[in-house]
Amino acid sequence: MGECLGNVMENTACRVAQLRAGRLAPHHVMPYLPVSLGMLRDCLNGMVDGAAVSSESKDGVIEYVFSAYADQPVGNGVLAVSNCVGCSAELDMDGEILCGACFDGFRQELSALAEKTGWPAQAVYEHEILYLAARQNGPVVAESLAGASRHTLRSMKKKLARMAEGRFLKTEPGDKPGTVRYSFPPLVYPQNLYRGNQAVIRAYPASVMEDLEQRIVRILFVLGGIFIAMLALAFWGIPFPLLVPAFLVVAPVTAFAIWRHKDKIKEN
């Protein structure tokens, strides 16, 4: 991790910790930076010294305690700064946390890291899930998140399982047999910050890898269904030589339509 990237993440975490009376999870920094939860966790772990900053597990979710801010009142809303968190230069617009020079350096180091680790593939769905979860009160279920997202239920469950393994959320049995509820630390994630973060993350080719994998799986699944339907029609007496040309026409058209289809999350 480069010096500029590490400095920006650490300084932002300190500002958010001050807003939250000294206690935060990696989630609480996500709305302000286009990075992954893993990157923030690694950064925060590097800040832990057992005195000024310590880490602990609360309900299975990793949290960090900044002792200097422990006695301050908990703030409301989102982080607002008038000076760049990277260099303290005065900012021109409300809602910004980085000046132009620091943002350029930040982006350059993000780009270099993306080539080595492929972090955008995780960050793109982590931000989406946190944005959607922030709009629901209390624990959420995979079905509600999947219904409002670009992902299938199966894919959403896999993503939530990865986040649970990273100690980014808590899982517990749902109200009905066989269901699971997922609890995130309370989070405020405004739409404008979400759109800005996604615009940066999606500029990296690695961000689309998982989406491409999902589309390929969908194509194979649908083509498999068409092929089975063709066999069924052949069984019911339709000549197989007539079905093969039809399959050769329908299959590529269907695959192209699935490939071109762009899913959108429900932001409102």
Side-chain angles (χ1 to χ4, degrees):
M1 186 179 298
E3 182 177 353
C4 179
L5 179 57
N7 179 60
V8 168
M9 288 199 292
E10 285 194 12
N11 290 356
T12 304
C14 287
R15 301 291 184 94
V16 176
Q18 187 174 8
L19 180 69
R20 296 189 48 79
R23 181 180 290 272
L24 59 80
H27 308 67
H28 298 123
V29 189
M30 286 283 275
Y32 309 105
L33 296 173
V35 297
S36 70
L37 285 170
M39 292 168 64
L40 285 171
R41 180 187 56 200
D42 292 344
C43 175
L44 289 165
N45 283 341
M47 299 175 69
V48 172
D49 59 6
V53 181
S54 59
S55 65
E56 60 183 51
S57 181
K58 183 178 180 182
D59 295 329
V61 178
I62 190 169
E63 290 192 345
Y64 299 86
V65 181
F66 291 67
S67 58
Y69 307 129
D71 297 329
Q72 296 191 16
V74 178
N76 296 319
V78 298
L79 176 67
V81 297
S82 57
N83 296 89
C84 173
V85 300
C87 68
S88 298
E90 187 173 346
L91 297 173
D92 298 326
M93 297 180 60
D94 292 337
E96 292 182 340
I97 66 169
L98 291 173
C99 66
C102 287
F103 184 72
D104 290 341
F106 179 74
R107 283 290 301 270
Q108 289 177 6
E109 294 187 7
L110 281 180
S111 300
L113 194 61
E115 295 178 359
K116 296 178 181 179
T117 67
W119 63 265
Q122 289 76 45
V124 70
Y125 73 75
E126 290 173 345
H127 278 269
E128 181 176 348
I129 289 174
L130 291 178
Y131 173 78
L132 294 173
R135 274 149 178 69
Q136 302 188 37
N137 295 322
V140 298
V141 294
E143 288 80 359
S144 65
L145 292 176
S149 76
R150 305 172 297 110
H151 309 289
T152 63
L153 177 58
R154 182 179 179 182
S155 176
M156 179 60 70
K157 287 182 176 180
K158 288 183 178 180
K159 290 171 173 52
L160 291 169
R162 291 177 201 160
M163 296 174 74
E165 290 175 1
R167 294 196 296 163
F168 298 125
L169 58 84
K170 173 187 175 183
T171 61
E172 57 187 357
D175 297 330
K176 298 180 180 179
T179 62
V180 179
R181 295 195 303 176
Y182 303 87
S183 298
F184 296 85
L187 178 68
V188 177
Y189 199 161
Q191 187 181 89
N192 64 312
L193 296 184
Y194 172 75
R195 289 179 172 176
N197 285 332
Q198 286 288 33
V200 174
I201 296 168
R202 289 183 176 278
Y204 299 109
S207 69
V208 303
M209 291 306 297
E210 189 152 350
D211 182 54
L212 293 181
E213 291 176 3
Q214 289 185 37
R215 294 189 188 192
I216 291 173
V217 170
R218 289 181 189 176
I219 289 172
L220 294 177
F221 181 80
V222 172
L223 293 185
I226 294 175
F227 183 75
I228 292 173
M230 183 184 71
L231 294 179
L233 291 173
F235 177 80
W236 286 102
I238 298 179
F240 196 77
L242 294 179
L243 293 173
V244 172
F247 178 80
L248 294 178
V249 172
V250 173
V253 171
T254 302
F256 181 75
I258 295 173
W259 185 264
R260 293 281 296 178
H261 178 70
K262 294 183 179 181
D263 297 318
K264 296 183 180 180
I265 74 163
K266 300 173 184 178
E267 295 188 347
N268 297 322

